[in-house]
Amino acid sequence: MGLDEVSQKPHERLAAWLAEDMAAVNGLIRERMASKHAPRIPEVTAHLVEAGGKRLRPLLTLAAARLCGYEGPYHIHLAATVEFIHTATLLHDDVVDESHRRRGKPTANLLWDNKSSVLVGDYLFARSFQLMVETGSLRVMDILANASATISEGEVLQLTAAQDLRTTEDIYLQVVRGKTAALFAAATEVGGVVAGMPEAQVEALHAYGDALGIAFQIVDDLLDYGGVDAQIGKNTGDDFRERKLTLPVIKAVAQADAEERAFWQRVIEKGDQREGDLEQAHAIMSRHGAMEAARQDALRWVAVAREALGQLPEHPLREMLHDLADFVVERIA
C-alpha cells in the first residue's frame, strides 16, 4: 500500500477502488435525470447531484455487491436508485426546513422555488422506481420501497418530535432510523441481495448499514454544536436555530434542573432565541456531559457495524467498510 493510499480517507479509498463502477453510476444518473419536455428537471437535479458530496450511499451499494462477488450489471442500477432517492429527499428536506445553503451552495428552492424542488424530487422518486424495476428483483423493490416509506415516516415524525421536550431517546432513534439509517441499510442490503448471498449475510449487510447510518447522524448532530471539545463557531448551531431536538440536547433536557428546563422551553419549544443562547446551550450540554454521552452512543453503534462485517467474506472492501465505520466517529474524536 503506497503512501497516497494510506493518507486517503476511507470513503476516498472506496471511491478509488470502485471508480469504474462509480463512473457508470454517474453516467446512468445523467441519462435518467434528463427530460425532453421539462428542462427544469435536469437543471434542478444537476445543481444538487453535481454540487459535490461523497456519494457515500451509492458507494455502499457498489461495495456490498462487489464484496459479495457480484459481476452483473444491476448494482449500477441500484446505486443510481439509492442516489436518486437520497437526492429527492434532500430537495424535499430543504423545502420543509426552509434551507438556503447545502454543501456551501444555494439550495434549489432558493435558486428556483419550492414548487420546483418538490416536483423535481417527486420525479426523482419515480425515476428511482423505474430503475428498481429494471433489476427484475421483487426483493430489491421491496427493500427500497420500504426504505422510501420509512424515510418519509421519519421526516413526518421529526416534524412533531423536533420541538417537543417530551421527545425521548427512543423517539430520536426512530427518527434517525427513518431519515438517515433506512437508506444506509437498504443501500448495503440490496448489494447482498443482487449478489445472491445467503440470508445471514444479507442481514449482516443490513445491520452494518443501519448501525453506520445511526452513528453517522449522531456525529452530524454533535458536529452541529462544534463537536465534543470544540468551541461554538460561525458554522455551528443550525440545529439549535431551527429548534431541533437532537441527541445531545435530549440528553441535557433529561438532566435539566428547573432553570435549565425553562431555558430549553424558551429556546426550543417557544422559539424565543436571544444573543448568547447558543453558547448557553453548549455550556449546559457540556455541564451534564451530554456531548460526550452522545459520542459514546455513536461509538457503540460503530462497534455494532464492525461486528456485522465479521459475518461477511474476507475482502479488501470489507476492510474499507470497517475503516469507514471508524472514520465516522474519528470526526469527533
Side-chain angles (χ1 to χ4, degrees), residues 10-11 14 56 60 208 212 320-328:
H11 60 274
L14 268 178
L56 187 56
L60 288 173
Y208 171 81
L212 182 72
M320 292 180 206
L321 292 175
H322 187 287
D323 291 345
L324 178 65
D326 287 336
F327 177 69
V328 164

Side-chain angles (χ1 to χ4, degrees), residues 48 57 81-91 103 183:
L48 192 53
R57 292 154 188 83
T81 297
V82 166
E83 184 65 8
F84 271 163
I85 293 172
H86 178 53
T87 304
T89 61
L90 295 184
L91 285 167
R103 295 171 183 161
L183 194 54

Side-chain angles (χ1 to χ4, degrees), residues 13 15 34 57 71 83 93 97 129 143 158-159 175 188 220 222 244-245 251 255 265 274 281-282 289 296 309 316 322:
R13 293 202 298 276
R57 292 154 188 83
E71 297 293 339
E83 184 65 8
D93 287 353
D97 294 338
F129 280 90
I143 292 166
Q158 183 174 248
L159 284 178
V175 170
T188 48
D220 263 12
L222 283 168
K244 289 182 181 177
L245 267 176
K251 288 180 178 293
Q255 301 179 69
Q265 286 173 331
R274 307 164 190 170
H282 196 272
Q296 291 300 321
L309 288 174
H322 187 287

Side-chain angles (χ1 to χ4, degrees), residues 241-258:
R241 285 183 283 272
E242 293 171 12
R243 301 159 58 201
K244 289 182 181 177
L245 267 176
T246 56
L247 187 58
V249 178
I250 292 170
K251 288 180 178 293
V253 169
Q255 301 179 69
D257 59 26

